[in-house]
Amino acid sequence: MASKTEKLLSLLDGQPVIPVLKIDRVADAVPLARALARGGLRVIEITLRTADALECIRRAAGEVEEAIVGAGTILDARQFDEAAAAGSKFIVSPGVTRELLAAAGGSEVPLLPGAITPGEIMTAREAGLDFLKFFPAEQAGGAAFLKSLASPFGGMKFCPTGGVSAGNARDYLGLPNVICVGGSWVAPDDLVKAGKWDAIEALAREAATLRKG
């Protein structure tokens, strides 16, 4: 698991914001991925929250060479395998289960599982994971709660997602135990539906400047 964490971190390559995308129309997948990549956000997460999510992953991964496409909202081993087969370079889940850990253990595709409680974090740590999704971040206590985890879990790093926005992203990125944040604000539904790719590119370019430090 540790080597896969390193693989995931290398894919991120210092990107501060991971776009979390819910794509309703397959036709939007490729231009959306291209717009985000042009803005500096090459790594994207397409969530399995729509009927055509796997096809969106397949098209974005297959047609946008500059994009690094991952799959989110993975709940079980079947979805893990389907997302990996569709071309996902990484898998994100809202929580951590033994089934998902087993699926990840048999795959070259790295897993970023969600955890918010000390028990969940310890379960992931026992499995050899030290990079986790902190979800839902704002609802679970926000940056203050995540900061309180830095001391007892000194070796653990997080990607907070859920309620993270342009307004509070820096609060999270300033924490010593945060690698990046996940957010949907860089691709608002209204801009996607209107096909305003230039506007999305501009939002991505702005988000890409939210470096740690």
Side-chain angles (χ1 to χ4, degrees):
M1 286 289 192
S3 63
K4 292 175 186 175
T5 295
E6 291 301 319
K7 181 177 181 180
L8 179 54
L9 290 173
S10 69
L11 289 175
L12 294 174
D13 192 26
Q15 183 174 310
V17 178
I18 310 302
V20 179
L21 310 173
K22 183 174 72 70
I23 306 177
D24 292 308
R25 299 179 303 199
V26 172
D28 292 331
V30 168
L32 176 55
R34 285 181 176 151
L36 292 167
R38 285 197 306 268
L41 302 182
R42 298 175 61 233
V43 182
I44 63 175
E45 175 191 336
I46 298 177
T47 63
L48 264 64
R49 298 183 185 183
T50 63
D52 294 319
L54 287 172
E55 182 60 23
C56 290
I57 291 170
R58 191 172 292 110
R59 293 199 187 183
E63 299 181 33
V64 188
E65 293 183 4
E66 62 271 32
I68 299 171
V69 183
T73 321
I74 300 298
L75 303 178
D76 54 43
R78 177 184 60 81
Q79 290 183 338
F80 185 108
D81 293 340
E82 289 176 343
S88 301
K89 298 300 183 184
F90 61 96
I91 301 292
V92 184
S93 64
V96 57
T97 68
R98 285 190 292 270
E99 181 185 356
L100 275 174
L101 291 174
S107 172
E108 290 301 312
V109 180
L111 171 67
L112 181 65
I116 54 172
T117 68
E120 291 168 342
I121 294 168
M122 291 170 68
T123 295
R125 182 177 178 273
E126 288 177 359
L129 294 166
D130 57 12
F131 180 34
L132 305 172
K133 173 180 178 177
F134 183 71
F135 173 84
E138 280 293 284
Q139 295 82 350
F145 182 76
L146 189 51
K147 181 180 180 180
S148 72
L149 296 176
S151 181
F153 297 107
M156 305 301 292
K157 303 297 181 183
F158 298 90
C159 175
T161 304
V164 180
S165 67
N168 62 17
R170 290 188 188 275
D171 295 337
Y172 288 99
L173 290 168
L175 298 179
N177 55 348
V178 169
I179 297 289
C180 58
V181 299
S184 59
W185 83 87
V186 293
D189 287 343
D190 58 336
L191 294 185
V192 174
K193 289 176 181 177
K196 294 186 176 181
W197 311 124
D198 289 345
I200 290 173
E201 178 183 342
L203 288 174
R205 185 166 286 110
E206 183 179 333
T209 68
L210 296 172
R211 300 294 175 184
K212 286 182 60 62

